[in-house]
Amino acid sequence: MNQELNDGLPAREAALTLIDAALSRRGGIDEAASAHGFRFLEPRERAFARALAMAALRRLGPIDRALSAKLQREPPPRVRNLLRLGVVQAFYLEVPAFAAVATTVEMAGINKTSRPFKGLVNAVLRGLLRDGPPSDDPEHLAPPWLISRWSSAWGPETARLVASEIANEPATDLSLKDPALAESWAERLEGEVLPGGTLRLARKGDVAAWPGFEEGGWWVQDAAAAIPARLLNVKAGETAVDLCAAPGGKSLQLAAAGAIVTAVDRSAARLERLTDNFRRMALTAEVVVADAGAWDDSRTFDAVLLDAPCSATGTFRRHPDVLWAARPGDVASLAAVQARLLDAAADKTKPGGRLVYCVCSLEPEEGEAQVEAFLARRPDMRLDPIASGEAGAPTASLTARGTLRLLPHQLDGGQDGFFAARFVRQG
């Protein structure tokens, strides 16, 4: 193997680690990416490793179908992951076919588990090169149980449209500290201003090096994720609490709008990132480390935001690993947590105050079903219907009930999957 190809082996080995972590435990890819061995790589190698892993995860279903057709029996996990990387390099990244095969075979040979499979790796990859790229049929891009759930919820055609977004690399969306400067920032960053004020960029790379980062002009936040905080319509001087606040994008929105913000989260480590972001943006918030469902504080607030823990299936554009780490039982267990937090959030809402509940989930049990159960047990809360186009939400996302079911394909260029509902406390 020539030296140029050999130099890329550490990045490819890191990509193997990322894929293994993503498929073995929820949140594993982020933990692996922050581990010492990954950080030791040069920035270019880190970027390549992550690009390899993410491309493999976005097309995991079609890749595995193509591989399984070539394998008579299941190889060790390392060999399966090596084959996945070989396919990704050959068909989805700008790696010459000979290099995709050569580097993968070389990697098989440097580990005792995969060494006996060098010949298999070589034969399978060369066979796939003759066959051409795996099919990108949307129904194969997500686990079958999720496709089935989505088909039941919205019909097969909508399920296919949702799943078709899995393979697409998303743009970078920014929320602006001062929305009045949207056109100015769009010119500086060569972006497009979306309905609601989100700035969408095609540029890639280290966001910390982009104009406006150090001066606190903006923060990274998906277009759909920016909608729930806007639905609260906070005014300057109003009190607002963001429950389950970390990493803090929605808290920043409330503070930038002039609200007096309290940010609550049970994770002290995640709140450190929130605090860093507030410092960079020159905004202030009271930060509280507590379980929002058991927070012992007698205050009530004008505006309450609950972005509840959920299956996170709507975040697959930026976190495709969630599709493969999620299990059917997750939805039911998390729904019980959401109900408890919703009641706690209602108790923190002043009479006449607003509560917005949201989840980055595509599952009805975590969205629509929560709303109906909540209204049935809380006569002091009424649903406040959202208007068409309000907060920059696509018209197609508005439900007949006046809630938002934000599906990834409903915005040109994609958006995260979210559910959001707004309530007013009576009395």
Side-chain angles (χ1 to χ4, degrees):
M1 168 177 279
N2 66 45
Q3 188 60 40
E4 181 180 352
L5 295 182
N6 192 59
D7 287 344
L9 292 184
R12 289 170 170 85
E13 194 67 40
L16 277 183
T17 301
L18 292 179
I19 293 172
D20 180 66
L23 299 179
S24 61
R25 59 192 184 280
R26 178 179 288 275
I29 194 168
D30 290 330
E31 294 174 16
S34 61
H36 175 72
F38 190 81
R39 297 200 311 270
F40 186 73
L41 295 173
E42 294 293 326
R44 182 174 58 84
E45 292 179 314
R46 285 201 302 271
F48 183 52
R50 192 168 185 91
L52 276 173
M54 295 299 275
L57 292 167
R58 286 194 177 101
R59 292 181 169 85
L60 192 68
I63 289 172
D64 277 357
R65 285 174 62 87
L67 289 175
S68 294
K70 298 289 186 184
L71 296 167
Q72 293 183 349
R73 61 181 61 89
E74 182 63 24
R78 175 180 170 85
V79 176
R80 166 73 75 164
N81 284 338
L82 280 169
L83 289 167
R84 288 163 170 160
L85 283 189
V87 174
V88 164
Q89 292 175 82
F91 294 119
Y92 304 118
L93 298 180
E94 295 178 359
V95 176
F98 81 91
V101 176
T103 53
T104 308
V105 172
E106 181 75 6
M107 290 179 68
I110 61 178
N111 180 279
K112 65 179 182 180
T113 299
S114 53
R115 192 174 300 130
F117 295 88
K118 285 179 65 175
L120 175 74
V121 168
N122 183 64
V124 168
L125 291 180
R126 290 188 182 279
L128 288 174
L129 285 172
R130 289 191 295 270
D131 295 346
S135 167
D136 258 1
D137 185 330
E139 290 191 18
H140 300 153
L141 286 168
W145 71 273
L146 278 174
I147 294 292
S148 177
R149 288 179 62 86
W150 300 344
S151 295
S152 296
W154 315 302
E157 184 54 37
T158 297
R160 285 179 61 86
L161 290 170
V162 170
S164 68
E165 293 290 335
I166 295 170
N168 299 330
E169 185 177 358
T172 301
D173 293 343
L174 308 179
S175 287
L176 305 177
K177 181 179 179 180
D178 185 353
L181 300 177
E183 293 300 335
S184 174
W185 281 117
E187 185 175 348
R188 288 182 67 183
L189 293 166
E190 300 177 312
E192 170 194 7
V193 182
L194 301 180
T198 289
L199 185 61
R200 174 158 289 182
L201 311 182
R203 67 165 62 198
K204 306 294 179 184
D206 181 9
V207 297
W210 296 355
F213 180 85
E214 289 294 339
E215 64 194 78
W218 47 263
W219 60 93
V220 176
Q221 186 177 33
D222 187 82
I227 289 172
R230 295 189 196 125
L231 293 173
L232 283 169
N233 297 313
V234 295
K235 307 294 190 295
E238 284 192 314
T239 58
V241 62
D242 184 2
L243 304 170
C244 309
K250 297 175 182 65
S251 295
L252 287 169
Q253 287 179 272
L254 298 172
I260 302 167
V261 176
T262 301
V264 180
D265 200 279
R266 65 185 303 173
S267 171
R270 282 166 53 81
L271 281 172
E272 288 180 11
R273 182 178 169 191
L274 179 148
T275 301
D276 289 343
N277 282 329
F278 266 83
R279 187 180 300 114
R280 179 173 66 85
M281 303 300 301
L283 294 169
T284 59
E286 175 191 6
V287 178
V288 178
V289 181
D291 177 345
W295 181 32
D296 186 16
D297 191 299
S298 61
R299 288 178 292 174
T300 55
F301 299 82
D302 297 308
V304 177
L305 178 62
L306 174 61
D307 184 359
C310 67
S311 62
T313 50
T315 66
F316 63 65
R317 294 164 62 250
R318 300 176 204 283
H319 305 285
D321 51 307
V322 302
L323 299 175
W324 305 99
R327 298 291 179 266
D330 294 347
V331 176
S333 61
L334 286 163
V337 175
Q338 293 149 11
R340 177 176 66 88
L341 291 173
L342 250 175
D343 284 333
D347 292 340
K348 294 297 180 189
T349 307
K350 284 183 179 179
R354 295 93 67 203
L355 162 63
V356 166
Y357 168 76
C358 65
V359 283
C360 54
S361 166
L362 294 170
E363 315 316 312
E365 296 94 325
E366 300 181 89
E368 291 87 346
Q370 285 290 356
V371 167
E372 300 310 323
F374 177 63
L375 291 171
R377 69 177 181 268
R378 295 294 303 235
D380 57 331
M381 304 296 294
R382 67 170 176 84
L383 190 66
D384 184 14
I386 298 163
S388 178
E390 187 177 349
T395 302
S397 301
L398 186 65
T399 72
R401 194 78 162 96
T403 60
L404 290 179
R405 169 51 73 187
L406 297 145
L407 297 177
H409 69 285
Q410 291 171 337
L411 179 67
D412 187 30
Q415 63 181 355
D416 280 357
F418 257 85
F419 174 85
R422 182 173 56 201
F423 307 91
V424 171
R425 187 169 188 180
Q426 304 177 101

